Amino acid sequence: MPETPVSLRSPSSWLASSLARAVLILSVGASLLLTGCSGAPANPNPRADVPLQTVSVDLPRYMGRWYVIANIPYFAERDFVGSRAEWFLREDGRIDDHFYGRKNGFDQPESHYQFVDTVVPGSGGGLWRVRLFWPIYVSQLTLYVDPDYRYTLLGYPDKSLGWIFSRDPVMDDATYHELLARFDAMGYDTSRFRRVPQLANQLGQPGFASPGQDDRPSGGAKGE
């Protein structure tokens, strides 16, 4: 049924809708602040205080589909499987940023979220401001991309968040640990990374996050 125009809604219905949206925005905003300020444990890496450096990227070549191979779990992507990002360069120079994934299992419907990213001038295409919703923006740093644009590493300035993306949904262990080593050299606590299942048979495997599973580090090998 088509949505009732605002002008025809009752005052009580309009107020309830506005309050619900305000609560949603405040809740997500508070979660972002907690993630950035107090949600991350102390980083034991001796290079933890070394500032991250972005790399230049060829934006048209960088666009397209990227699978989320691993990340540091946080509220927005926790319990998602089969996650991927799809980027499209707009005529105005901004980027349409689409996230797809299945919350709580492969048998669940695919969710889709869309954001708009702005490339920071002078960054060589390596620093983006991602608009989650007005007026909330976050910084996304491109920390590494291989010469063939098959893999990329993304980060957050305080190293509380990080992602490994690949053009293919499956990554061999050797490549995965090689990319984790790059994060380690940048000062990340790589024990916090968890692989994101892209196939159902990866659920429950060592090093992989699973919906509903405690994803805190257990003290084992870095990145498992």
Side-chain angles (χ1 to χ4, degrees), residues 49-63:
D49 294 330
V50 177
L52 294 171
Q53 302 294 322
T54 60
V55 297
S56 297
V57 297
D58 179 341
L59 282 175
R61 193 178 179 193
Y62 202 41
M63 297 296 101

Side-chain angles (χ1 to χ4, degrees), residues 10-85:
S10 67
S12 60
S13 174
W14 180 86
L15 179 60
S17 176
S18 298
L19 288 174
R21 179 172 174 78
V23 169
L24 174 63
I25 291 175
L26 289 173
S27 298
V28 176
S31 297
L32 285 169
L33 290 174
L34 289 172
T35 298
C37 298
S38 61
N43 186 345
N45 191 309
R47 295 170 292 279
D49 294 330
V50 177
L52 294 171
Q53 302 294 322
T54 60
V55 297
S56 297
V57 297
D58 179 341
L59 282 175
R61 193 178 179 193
Y62 202 41
M63 297 296 101
R65 177 175 294 187
W66 291 96
Y67 293 92
V68 185
I69 298 300
N71 61 24
I72 294 177
Y74 71 109
F75 76 97
E77 292 184 54
R78 184 171 283 114
D79 295 332
F80 273 94
V81 299
S83 306
R84 69 183 188 276

Side-chain angles (χ1 to χ4, degrees), residues 1 3 17 44 58 65 67 76 99 103 108 117 119 123-124 129 139 155 161 171 192 206 209 223-224:
M1 176 179 293
E3 184 177 0
S17 176
D58 179 341
R65 177 175 294 187
Y67 293 92
F99 173 85
K103 180 86 168 177
Q108 299 302 307
D117 307 342
V119 178
S123 68
R129 293 183 73 232
S139 296
L161 301 174
M171 178 179 289
R192 298 185 60 214
E224 296 267 330

Side-chain angles (χ1 to χ4, degrees), residues 174-185:
T175 301
Y176 175 66
H177 286 288
E178 176 186 330
L179 295 172
L180 271 188
R182 290 183 179 274
F183 269 124
D184 180 74

Side-chain angles (χ1 to χ4, degrees), residues 61-138:
R61 193 178 179 193
Y62 202 41
M63 297 296 101
R65 177 175 294 187
W66 291 96
Y67 293 92
V68 185
I69 298 300
N71 61 24
I72 294 177
Y74 71 109
F75 76 97
E77 292 184 54
R78 184 171 283 114
D79 295 332
F80 273 94
V81 299
S83 306
R84 69 183 188 276
E86 295 187 10
W87 298 332
F88 301 94
L89 189 61
R90 295 164 36 154
E91 290 185 1
D92 63 5
R94 292 188 294 174
I95 296 163
D96 284 329
D97 184 346
H98 299 262
F99 173 85
Y100 297 88
R102 299 180 187 275
K103 180 86 168 177
N104 295 321
F106 286 98
D107 58 344
Q108 299 302 307
E110 187 172 70
S111 299
H112 171 225
Y113 303 93
Q114 182 175 353
F115 313 101
V116 178
D117 307 342
T118 301
V119 178
V120 175
S123 68
L127 176 59
W128 299 2
R129 293 183 73 232
V130 181
R131 188 183 72 189
L132 302 180
F133 49 78
W134 188 89
I136 303 297
Y137 291 82
V138 296

